[in-house]
Amino acid sequence: MSDPGVSREKRISNEGLARLEKQLELGMNIKAEVLQQWVRRYGDDARELLKKYHRELDD
């Protein structure tokens, strides 16, 4: 169950970013187009994860 006071948008964002990080941890070969979608949806938070796992995108 989610913490009280956490907005649905923030909770979904955290869950989505956790999913992305898990995929990156596992070394999954994610196409650049799909990574771009993550960045469009989650912005700088997604960019930071990509940088952490050496999967930075060219803009």
Side-chain angles (χ1 to χ4, degrees):
M1 189 147 178
S2 64
D3 296 327
V6 177
S7 71
R8 180 178 188 276
E9 182 178 305
K10 182 70 173 170
R11 189 174 67 249
I12 289 172
S13 175
N14 290 341
E15 291 169 2
L17 289 168
R19 261 194 339 268
L20 173 59
E21 184 162 22
K22 187 66 172 174
Q23 291 177 18
L24 293 168
E25 281 177 353
L26 293 172
M28 296 180 72
N29 188 17
I30 306 169
K31 292 183 179 184
E33 295 84 4
V34 174
L35 294 176
Q36 286 285 3
Q37 290 174 342
W38 282 101
V39 170
R40 277 195 300 275
R41 181 172 292 151
Y42 297 104
D44 289 336
D45 291 333
R47 286 183 197 282
E48 288 300 315
L49 280 177
L50 295 177
K51 188 182 297 184
K52 178 180 176 181
Y53 291 95
H54 311 289
R55 293 292 308 266
E56 295 178 74
L57 296 172
D58 296 327
D59 288 332

